[in-house]
Amino acid sequence: MSTQTNLLRPGGTRRSTIDDVPTIPTRAIKGIVLLLCCALVIIPFIGVISTSIASQAHVTNSGGFVLWPDGINLASYKSIFNGGVVQRALVVSIVITTGGTLISLAGSTMLAYALSRSGTFGQKPMLLIVLFSVLFSPGLIPNYLVVKEFGLLDSLLALILPTAINGFNVIVLRAFFMGIPESVTDSARIDGAGDFRIFWSIVLPLSRAVLAVVGLFYAVGYWNAFFNAMLYINDTAKWPLQLVLRTYVINNTELSGGDLGGASADQLPPQESIQMAILVVSLVPILIVYPFLQRHFAKGMLTGAVKG
């Protein structure tokens, strides 16, 4: 009797519970909505890939966007990997993403571990500084002046060092490190292990899930960043791929034969195919990396969310 009372609202109507099975019309509506949402995401992606591999005649007849190609033509990919601006920008982006992610992970993990250990010198003031950086960010002009004073203009370090430490990621790592039982580290300390040995041999192996998530956050941030490059990099030879993508795809600037390794204009594929090929190349690395980190992603995202 008490169970039935708990399932009733004050007006006498029954409250829904987790065990309630949705009706067939409700399930059908949900399925249709989900299919529409998937179509809104998948169809443009298919169109981008199809346009990049379609023949020149098919692209021209379709008005620059092909939903399903009549064959596979890799001329646009051959043109962008012919030693021109796109290939050079891809190498720059890989260097920035790889180096920046390693630097950011190293700095963030060491800072977070120091902030997670009680008795660390300057722990509270440094934690306040990290929290302050999450709530407030410096303006555009101060950032530019700092980069200029350090002599980092036209340097790839200008795309790494100003964003090397992210306060939010430090807080996530700190929450995970605080969840590691102190008995584990204390037993290692009794055996003669120092702070660095405990950090390297015990803490990091136990933190693979959160490190994978934070590393993915940093890698995606470095890979997709273009605004800092637009501010600090004047040499087009040092442009990352995303700035090339913005210049030649979003701004619809035409790629010449000189930009694509010296190919003649009559040998170039349609500009639409080249632009879509650049877009596909910018998406592929993240699509390759994410499946390997997916099994760690859910566990890492729940860091600090469950107590007890």
Side-chain angles (χ1 to χ4, degrees):
M1 187 69 180
S2 60
T3 304
Q4 293 179 354
T5 304
N6 292 333
L7 294 177
L8 295 179
R9 293 193 179 94
T13 58
R14 186 176 183 274
R15 293 185 297 181
S16 60
T17 64
I18 297 177
D19 296 331
D20 289 342
V21 179
T23 60
I24 294 178
T26 302
R27 295 169 63 184
I29 294 173
K30 290 180 179 179
I32 293 173
V33 172
L34 289 175
L35 286 175
L36 290 175
C37 293
C38 291
L40 290 174
V41 175
I42 294 175
I43 291 177
F45 186 69
I46 293 175
V48 168
I49 297 176
S50 300
T51 305
S52 68
I53 62 176
S55 62
Q56 183 170 354
H58 197 180
V59 173
T60 303
N61 295 333
S62 301
F65 186 80
V66 177
L67 190 57
W68 194 261
D70 54 359
I72 297 178
N73 183 6
L74 301 178
S76 57
Y77 291 95
K78 293 178 181 178
S79 64
I80 65 176
F81 288 115
N82 197 30
V85 62
V86 179
Q87 181 176 339
R88 187 168 58 244
L90 178 61
V91 175
V92 172
S93 288
I94 292 174
V95 171
I96 292 172
T97 302
T98 305
T101 302
L102 293 176
I103 292 173
S104 296
L105 272 179
S108 298
T109 51
M110 288 189 288
L111 177 59
Y113 180 70
L115 295 177
S116 67
R117 301 296 96 181
S118 59
T120 303
F121 177 76
Q123 178 189 25
K124 291 184 179 180
M126 186 58 68
L127 181 58
L128 289 176
I129 293 174
V130 172
L131 293 174
F132 186 84
S133 69
V134 175
L135 299 175
F136 303 98
S137 60
L140 183 63
I141 295 177
N143 266 332
Y144 182 85
L145 293 177
V146 169
V147 172
K148 181 180 179 182
E149 289 300 320
F150 277 97
L152 296 178
L153 293 180
D154 263 343
S155 171
L156 296 184
L157 291 176
L159 307 180
I160 298 175
L161 296 183
T163 56
I165 304 295
N166 182 279
F168 174 78
N169 292 336
V170 171
I171 293 173
V172 171
L173 289 168
R174 176 179 177 269
F176 187 90
F177 293 156
M178 292 180 67
I180 298 177
E182 291 188 3
S183 57
V184 176
T185 57
D186 289 342
S187 61
R189 200 179 302 276
I190 293 174
D191 292 336
D195 289 330
F196 184 79
R197 181 63 182 274
I198 293 173
F199 174 72
W200 182 261
S201 301
I202 297 177
V203 175
L204 291 185
L206 293 175
S207 309
R208 283 179 295 182
V210 69
L211 290 177
V213 174
V214 173
L216 182 63
F217 286 164
Y218 277 125
V220 171
Y222 283 118
W223 182 261
N224 290 333
F226 71 92
F227 189 68
N228 283 351
M230 191 169 58
L231 290 177
Y232 307 137
I233 306 297
N234 296 319
D235 186 1
T236 56
K238 298 179 180 179
W239 279 8
L241 183 61
Q242 300 303 327
L243 187 53
V244 171
L245 181 67
R246 179 185 183 275
T247 303
Y248 294 105
V249 178
I250 298 179
N251 293 344
N252 202 26
T253 303
E254 186 172 345
L255 281 157
S256 63
D259 296 326
L260 297 173
S264 58
D266 55 347
Q267 294 177 345
L268 291 179
Q271 287 293 319
E272 294 84 358
S273 295
I274 298 175
Q275 291 173 351
M276 295 302 105
I278 297 173
L279 186 56
V280 171
V281 170
S282 68
L283 293 173
V284 165
I286 301 300
L287 294 178
I288 293 176
V289 171
Y290 180 76
F292 295 99
L293 302 179
Q294 184 180 10
R295 62 192 182 95
H296 299 295
F297 199 81
K299 182 179 179 181
M301 286 299 294
L302 290 176
T303 299
V306 180
K307 299 296 183 181

